[in-house]
Amino acid sequence: MMLSRALLSAAGKNADLSVPFTDLSIQWRQIEGRALPDIHRLFQSGSFTLGPFVAQFEQAAADYLGIAHAIGVNSGTSALHLALIVAGIGPGDKVLVPSYTFVATAWAVLYVGATPVLCDIEEDSANIDVADAEERLDAAVKAIIPVHLYGQPADMAGVMAFAARHRLVVIEDAAQAIGARFDGRCVGTFGLCGCYSFYPAKNLGAAGEAGLVVTADEAIARRLFALRHHAQSERYVHTELGFNYRMEGIQGLILGHKLPLLDSWTDSRRKLAQAYHERLAGLPLTLPQVVHDDHVFHLYVVRSKDRDRLRDYMRRAGIETGLHYPVPLHAQPALARFVADAQTFPVADRYARECLSLPLFVGMTEVQVERVCEAIRQFFGSSS
Ligand SMILES: *Cc1c(COP(=O)(O)O)cnc(C)c1O
């Protein structure tokens, strides 16, 4: 397809017509005034790892999420790893994981020596399909990790009922969905543990790597606090194999300044998603559906049978897009030994072929949304 001459020359002549996939500087500008004096204080005090800023953030995060205990760690992947340890999952155990997610969901299962059992996803929500999980169940399955993909809650009513029926532990991967609610309750607070990532591009992003694991169980929380800090139960005493998964002071500081703004940022994400929805209606695209209560739109992912050519057209028009995710877990070389030839994942495969993530970030303007949509309309030959 020919790139529209107007669009092409506009993108070439004027870099301002391009639209980035994300722009984190807008978030920094909103907290800079209040954060800088605290950064000065942190460097003066030398509380570079854990320390008061991390403790304050943990308390604020627990209050925000509505759960008793929040333990700051150095990444979302570490949060998942520790959650599986405290759930008692180990060699010989199997864990149900959606095949369509970021690979770290499955890494955590491998880190504890357990076996991931990959499941297909729901057509409408892109989250784990409980009916499909039920078919892949055997006596060795001990846990399930629902992922709240793109910021949309998994069907937690279905997951919790299924887990209760089969006595499975539930660990939630809420890395993309902080603040999303299912039946009014924050995702990440349904299972034994909920895991969050503060990778900079996530809805709540650190100034580097960070993560959080939450739990309502006090004994589990105590063990998590110890495990992230070399399993030091008291000074110089290490009760089990521990890890250096501590959250850095600077991350607690930045996250503490950003958390009060999260709900307003989520509102702006929802408005941008709504603007896309209205402008893209009627085109030969599958738009994301809000299926399970509220969605925090970490990503706005459309689907197109002509995804690769559409993506290329948009790139030439100066519009950056993303792919989340073009290679499902069952097609990953590192996970091949966990997939039998006879197993199929038709919905995950279709998503992997057709998914296209459009720009969506805090501070994005309606004009930028319109530019993205105009490029898509022109690709389909239906210029407004
Ligand atoms: C980002 C992410 C993770 C991993 O978090 P890190 O902080 O990058 O380690 C895990 N699962 C999902 C679904 C994610 O999006």
Side-chain angles (χ1 to χ4, degrees):
M1 177 167 306
M2 285 282 292
L3 194 62
S4 133
R5 203 177 300 132
L7 204 58
L8 193 61
S9 65
K13 272 194 212 119
N14 186 345
D16 284 339
L17 285 182
S18 65
V19 181
F21 187 65
T22 193
D23 180 354
L24 301 178
S25 68
I26 295 157
Q27 293 182 24
W28 168 242
R29 282 203 294 282
Q30 289 189 27
I31 64 161
E32 184 176 4
R34 273 161 291 145
L36 278 175
D38 274 347
I39 292 174
H40 187 242
R41 242 171 257 137
L42 179 129
F43 275 76
Q44 285 288 330
S45 70
S47 310
F48 292 119
T49 184
L50 298 178
F53 288 108
V54 170
Q56 277 161 31
F57 170 67
E58 287 171 336
Q59 186 58 55
D63 292 346
Y64 174 84
L65 295 166
I67 193 149
H69 309 283
I71 297 93
V73 292
N74 63 345
S75 74
T77 307
S78 301
L80 287 162
H81 183 190
L82 294 187
L84 283 160
I85 293 173
V86 299
I89 305 299
D93 296 334
K94 294 181 179 173
V95 180
L96 299 163
V97 173
S99 188
Y100 193 68
T101 177
F102 182 59
V103 70
T105 315
W107 286 161
V109 176
L110 299 184
Y111 292 165
V112 297
T115 300
V117 175
L118 302 179
C119 303
D120 209 356
I121 54 170
E122 298 173 334
E123 174 73 40
D124 50 6
S125 75
N127 283 321
I128 193 163
D129 181 339
V130 173
D132 181 80
E134 189 137 29
E135 279 173 25
R136 299 181 201 244
L137 202 63
D138 67 33
V141 171
K142 297 288 161 52
I144 178 169
I145 310 184
V147 179
H148 307 290
L149 200 72
Y150 304 152
Q152 168 145 248
D155 172 14
M156 289 313 292
V159 167
M160 296 309 287
F162 166 70
R165 253 189 338 268
H166 299 287
R167 298 173 178 280
L168 307 180
V169 176
V170 177
I171 306 279
E172 295 175 75
D173 182 340
Q176 302 188 1
I178 190 162
R181 288 165 183 272
F182 185 92
D183 284 348
R185 181 165 156 191
C186 278
V187 299
T189 66
F190 288 79
L192 179 70
C193 293
C195 303
Y196 304 84
S197 166
F198 305 125
Y199 180 76
K202 296 282 160 76
N203 283 24
L204 181 64
E209 307 281 351
L212 188 78
V213 50
V214 303
T215 184
D217 185 305
E218 191 180 342
I220 295 268
R222 234 178 292 124
R223 193 163 166 218
L224 288 165
F225 278 117
L227 280 170
R228 70 157 177 200
H229 190 28
H230 297 291
Q232 192 167 247
S233 56
E234 57 187 279
R235 198 131 195 238
Y236 310 122
V237 179
H238 306 270
T239 39
E240 60 178 313
L241 175 64
F243 302 88
N244 176 0
Y245 282 175
R246 292 178 299 243
M247 182 185 275
E248 294 180 328
I250 187 80
Q251 310 310 343
L253 185 163
I254 293 294
L255 293 166
H257 280 283
K258 283 188 170 183
L259 184 61
L261 300 174
L262 181 62
D263 283 344
S264 74
W265 290 348
T266 298
D267 272 356
S268 68
R269 287 179 178 278
R270 289 185 176 135
K271 290 202 178 88
L272 292 164
Q274 186 58 33
Y276 271 134
H277 224 78
E278 287 162 11
R279 288 171 163 87
L280 296 175
L283 291 170
L285 287 174
T286 306
L287 303 182
Q289 290 182 54
V290 177
V291 183
H292 298 302
D293 274 288
D294 65 352
H295 189 319
V296 294
F297 284 100
H298 171 57
L299 293 167
Y300 188 88
V301 179
V302 300
R303 283 185 292 149
S304 165
K305 298 217 183 316
D306 214 0
R307 190 267 315 277
D308 292 335
R309 289 201 316 138
L310 172 59
R311 184 166 198 238
D312 189 54
Y313 183 91
M314 294 177 78
R315 186 184 52 73
R316 284 183 287 133
I319 291 156
E320 248 185 273
T321 58
L323 300 177
H324 304 87
Y325 296 90
V327 184
L329 299 193
H330 61 267
Q332 294 292 349
L335 298 169
R337 69 198 152 101
F338 302 108
V339 185
D341 286 344
Q343 289 183 316
T344 59
F345 306 83
V347 184
D349 284 331
R350 200 171 329 126
Y351 264 87
R353 271 195 314 274
E354 299 183 354
C355 68
L356 183 69
S357 310
L358 304 185
L360 192 158
F361 53 90
V362 173
M364 187 180 185
T365 64
E366 292 247 349
V367 174
Q368 287 175 310
V369 171
E370 178 48 32
R371 265 181 216 139
V372 175
C373 295
E374 178 60 14
I376 297 173
R377 281 193 294 263
Q378 291 193 350
F379 174 78
F380 288 114
S382 57
S383 187
S384 59

